[in-house]
Structures are given as C-alpha cells and as structure tokens.
Amino acid sequence: MSESFNASVAQLRAALDASPGTDGLLAGYVALLETAPDSALIVDGLAGIDPDAYSDDELRTKVAGLLRDAGALEMAGAWDPVMAHLSSGGAPRPLPPVSGGRAKAKGPVIGFDDIGGLEDVKTQVRRRIINPFLKQELFARFKRKSGGGVLMYGPPGCGKTMMARALAHECNAHFLNVKAADLLDRYIGGTENRIVEIFDEARRRAPTVLFFDEVEAIAQKRQHDSHARVNTGVSALLTEMDGFDGQNEAVLLLGATNVPWSLDGAFRRPGRFGRTLFVPPPDKVARRFILNRALVGRPVADGLDLSDVVARTSGFSGADLIDVVDTALDYAIEESDAAGDLVPLNAEHFKEGLAEVRPSTGEWFSQANAYATHANRDGLYDDLAAFLKKHRK
Ligand code: ADP
C-alpha cells in the first residue's frame, strides 16, 4: 500500500496549521476550496483528519466524503495534483489564480480551525447562524427567516466559549461574553434593566455575537415559589431575545450551560435557542489536535510521539489537556533551570504531567446520565445518550 496519500494529508494538514495564508500550491488549493459552497467545512475537516488513524483507502473515502458534504465534488479533481506534488517532495508551485475566493475576515484570533473536533456543533452553528447572517440574500430568496440562536451544553472546559469566540471571528462580528449570573441584581427591576442594557449594547455595536455563559442563572425553569427576580429575569430575557421589527438581525445569539435540564422550556422555541447541542469532550483526533496546537512555538524534543498521551487522556476536557501540557512544561523548565541549558519538552515531562492531572468530566457525566436515560422524552438529549452508549464500558 502506498504511503503517499497518507503523507500528503499529514503535510497538507501541517502546512495549513503552520501558515494558512502562504502563497503557493497549498494556498492555491485552500483558495480553490474557499470557492466551494461550504468551504470552511472542507478546511476544518482536513484539519481534523488524523492520517495515522486510517489506511490510504479510508483516507481517500474520507476526503471524498468531505468534498461531497461541502457540495464540492468538482474539487476532488484538484486534490490529486496536490497529493502527487507533495509526495514528490517538490517545492510548492502556485495553482492558477481562482476567482471568487473569500478574504479572511479580521477579528479575534480564535477561528473554527483552532477548535479540535466538534464537527457536528460547527456544522449546526454554520447552518443556523453563520450562513443566514453571511448569505442574507440567498435566505431571502428561499423566504427562509433568519434569527434564533443555539444552546450548547456539556461538561466544562470542552470548547463552548471557544466556539462562541470563533463564531464572532467567522462573521467578523464583535464578541460580547456575558456571564448570566453577573446580570442578577437583588433590587427590584435591576436584573431586567441589565438584560435590556446588554441587548442595547449588542445592537449598538452590531454585528455582535452575544454569548450567554451559564445561562441557567437567568433562564432556569420558572417555579411558583421561586424568587421574583429570577422569574422577571426569564421574561425580560425572552422579550429581548424575540426583539421586534427585526432589530436583532445582526445580533447572533449563543448560549452555554452545564445544566440544560434546568432551563425553562420557553427558551427552546424557534427564534430563541432553536437548537440544543451537546459539546462532548475531545475524541482521540481532537485530543491530538489540541495537544499539537498547545505545543506550537515551544521547544519540543525531536520525534516526540504524543500517541501515548492521546491514548491515556480519554475523558479529559480540552482544558484538562492544556493543564497536562502546562504541567509538563513546568517540569521541562525546572530541568532546564537545573541543567543551565534548554531541555526541550519530552515524553518524561508528559508522564509527570499525566500523573498530576485528573480528568474533570466524570462528575458531570454521572449527573447527566440520569437525564439522558430518564428525562429524554423529546429526544432533546439524543446526542448525549448516543455518546454515553458509545463510551459505556
Ligand atoms: P467551556 O466554555 O466549554 O467551559 P472553553 O471554551 O472555555 O470551555 O475551553 C477552555 C480551554 O480549553 C480553551 O481556551 C482551549 O484552550 C481548550 N479547549 C477546550 N476545548 C477545545 C477544543 N475542542 N479545541 C481546542 N481547544 C480546546
């Protein structure tokens, strides 16, 4: 079996990671991909493929699938010369210029291609928020109303905030990150006023991604005996989310919660948080991606193989993985200090990091299990249930 396809994916991925904007063949290919109906899907998809995990034939099928899903089957023809060229070891050669390429939006530094895994969440966010915002004319032609947000839930540290930040980048929008608990005010009317102020600010600075973190602090189920301030917060938030006369058109709404089952059902109506999406801990491919991303620009021992770290970090959140890297770095720094010379990060440092950091998602899953099993009447937690089924030992 030829190694060339495998190696090409690895090189393409590495080159995309290292310098997504360079001239030459790779940039030409990316520019070509960017003219595809759903280009980011392809570029993100390529970045998410671990060439070590598949045979050549499987990789071919995967790339073809990516192109097909993105409505870009004709791009498949452009893939072969890229592959042949890379595997021949030749210097990058520019592809012919492509018309219609999209300029990279300026904005915060986090983009979709900085996020490992979460392909389903990216697809939904793209379909429900980014496309209606960027392709308003097309949506109007189909009389498809835009508006409405997405609610993300899952264990902490797995990329919900990152996703919101990346959404702002993809839409070249401002990013307003609001911790819902900070809006609670013990004075009568205080909470409502703050909610109105936040939406006003979002509209004033539009386009804006308005991200409500820990949204349950305001949006929890209305209970007859609960405090009035919470109840009034719920209706104020609903009113602002609905807006009037299309005033929220350039306010893109995302919410995050660790406890979706505590939320008032009224928030799930279309036009509000119309989709509820599970944000799982990173799988193997995503863990490798997150670790590699964390190591960029740091001194790393030649040939350091992360396979062992990847294999031993099932159940670790992205934030836990960053903690492992930081702890390993501390050991490398200590050793360098003692040696009076730079000791690059090596497998031993990672072993020490792994011995210190525990996965943090277990507690969340033991709580979530009951809801996925017994409170999933509307299929709201189907993706969570499927995840639990797959990972049950
Ligand atoms: P959440 O909002 O779900 O609690 P964050 O988005 O704040 O989690 O993630 C915390 C940190 O962990 C991020 O800043 C990032 O460094 C890392 N991280 C988590 N998930 C991912 C991911 N899927 N891809 C890349 N980095 C991640």
Side-chain angles (χ1 to χ4, degrees), residues 110 114-118 154-163 211 213 256 258 279-280 282 286 289-290 293 317-320 322:
I110 302 277
D114 291 300
I115 302 177
L118 305 185
C158 291
K160 296 185 288 296
T161 307
M162 239 186 145
M163 187 64 73
F211 174 55
D213 200 5
N258 296 339
V279 177
F289 177 94
I290 294 169
R293 182 173 172 270
S317 70
D320 294 336
I322 300 298

Side-chain angles (χ1 to χ4, degrees), residues 71-336:
L73 254 189
E74 70 275 21
M75 302 293 158
W79 171 253
D80 279 329
V82 172
M83 219 180 79
H85 193 75
L86 282 174
S87 59
S88 75
R93 174 168 41 86
L95 282 178
V98 201
S99 58
R102 180 164 50 85
K104 197 94 187 142
K106 292 193 187 73
V109 256
I110 302 277
F112 267 14
D113 35 9
D114 291 300
I115 302 177
L118 305 185
E119 298 310 327
D120 293 348
V121 183
K122 286 180 191 170
T123 302
Q124 287 288 344
V125 167
R126 200 169 275 129
R127 186 175 294 148
R128 310 213 34 107
I129 306 184
I130 299 181
N131 288 346
F133 177 68
L134 293 180
K135 301 174 185 177
Q136 289 174 13
E137 272 176 34
L138 186 62
F139 273 66
R141 285 279 290 119
F142 281 89
K143 296 198 184 309
R144 177 81 172 89
K145 260 175 63 187
S146 57
V150 165
L151 178 73
M152 299 175 288
Y153 75 98
C158 291
K160 296 185 288 296
T161 307
M162 239 186 145
M163 187 64 73
R165 206 173 271 285
L167 166 64
H169 175 72
E170 301 291 325
C171 294
N172 206 6
H174 287 111
F175 181 55
L176 259 185
N177 184 351
V178 179
K179 196 160 264 173
D182 293 343
L183 298 180
L184 290 179
D185 191 299
R186 59 202 176 90
Y187 296 105
I188 294 172
T191 304
E192 294 93 308
N193 287 343
R194 287 184 176 193
I195 292 171
V196 172
E197 275 168 25
I198 283 290
F199 272 87
D200 276 351
E201 186 182 346
R203 289 178 199 123
R204 214 172 35 244
R205 296 169 62 183
T208 306
V209 169
L210 182 49
F211 174 55
F212 281 104
D213 200 5
E214 297 173 19
V215 70
E216 72 279 0
I218 291 184
Q220 61 187 279
K221 283 184 183 126
R222 287 173 274 202
Q223 288 160 0
H224 297 302
D225 58 349
S226 76
H227 301 300
R229 62 175 184 148
V230 172
N231 286 343
T232 52
V234 167
S235 35
L237 187 53
L238 289 172
T239 308
E240 288 301 320
M241 283 171 86
D242 291 345
F244 48 87
D245 294 340
Q247 63 172 177
N248 282 351
E249 247 161 34
V251 176
L252 311 173
L253 205 63
L254 265 188
T257 180
N258 296 339
V259 286
W261 30 84
S262 304
L263 246 59
D264 194 307
F267 283 97
R268 297 221 175 78
R269 304 239 173 88
R272 296 171 181 169
F273 292 128
R275 278 282 185 288
T276 303
L277 300 176
F278 174 49
V279 177
D283 61 11
K284 267 190 186 169
V285 174
R287 294 204 292 278
R288 189 181 286 276
F289 177 94
I290 294 169
L291 291 166
N292 275 324
R293 182 173 172 270
L295 294 180
V296 170
R298 293 178 152 147
V300 174
D302 280 347
L304 173 69
D305 181 7
L306 292 173
S307 304
D308 186 47
V309 185
V310 169
R312 289 172 57 191
T313 45
S314 170
F316 281 60
S317 70
D320 294 336
L321 292 172
I322 300 298
D323 197 7
V324 170
V325 171
D326 284 346
T327 311
L329 285 171
D330 286 344
Y331 280 99
I333 291 167
E334 237 172 61
E335 207 182 319
S336 301

Side-chain angles (χ1 to χ4, degrees), residues 10-22 26 296:
Q11 286 184 49
L12 180 58
R13 205 170 62 119
L16 285 173
D17 280 347
S19 55
T22 51
L26 288 169
V296 170

